[in-house]
Each structure stands twice: as structure tokens, then as C-alpha cells.
Amino acid sequence: MELKQLKSKSADELKAHLVELQKERFALRMQKATGQLAKTHEARRVRREIARVNTLLGQKK
């Protein structure tokens, strides 16, 4: 998701999105551990998006 779209969300929406991202990150980690992860760049994308959401949540406080 782009930064503009994230900035337009409320804090509650960002928290919900963060939970979804954490679930996705966990699934990707499990795929990597079992050797099923084909798109390794997805793990990096999710990790960075989690950092973006956390940064925006900190700014909204």
C-alpha cells in the first residue's frame, strides 16, 4: 500500500492493517522455514510496510 493511502487512514484502521501485516509476515516466515517461499522479496516488503504503519501510528499519537 502506498504511503498516501496509509496517511489517509485513521489510527484504528492502521492498527487493523498492522494486525493483517503481522499475520502475513508470520505466514511468509513459515513458508521460508519449510522451503516453500518462492518470492523472497515479499518478506522484505511486508517488514517495511509494518515499519511504515508503526511510524504513522507514532505520528498520530
Side-chain angles (χ1 to χ4, degrees):
M1 189 172 293
E2 290 188 19
L3 189 59
K4 289 180 182 180
Q5 293 171 331
L6 289 174
K7 284 184 178 182
S8 65
K9 289 188 173 192
S10 68
D12 291 332
E13 290 173 330
L14 285 174
K15 287 178 186 176
H17 187 60
L18 182 61
V19 170
E20 291 174 22
L21 288 171
Q22 289 172 339
K23 288 179 183 178
E24 185 178 352
R25 181 175 178 232
F26 178 77
L28 290 171
R29 284 176 41 215
M30 291 300 110
Q31 287 178 11
K32 181 180 179 187
T34 58
Q36 297 174 349
L37 184 61
K39 298 179 181 178
T40 56
H41 65 280
E42 288 296 317
R44 184 177 185 186
R45 180 194 58 81
V46 170
R47 193 175 69 241
R48 287 183 174 193
E49 191 166 340
I50 288 172
R52 284 187 190 105
V53 170
N54 282 329
T55 300
L56 288 173
L57 282 172
Q59 289 175 353
K60 290 190 182 268
K61 284 186 179 179

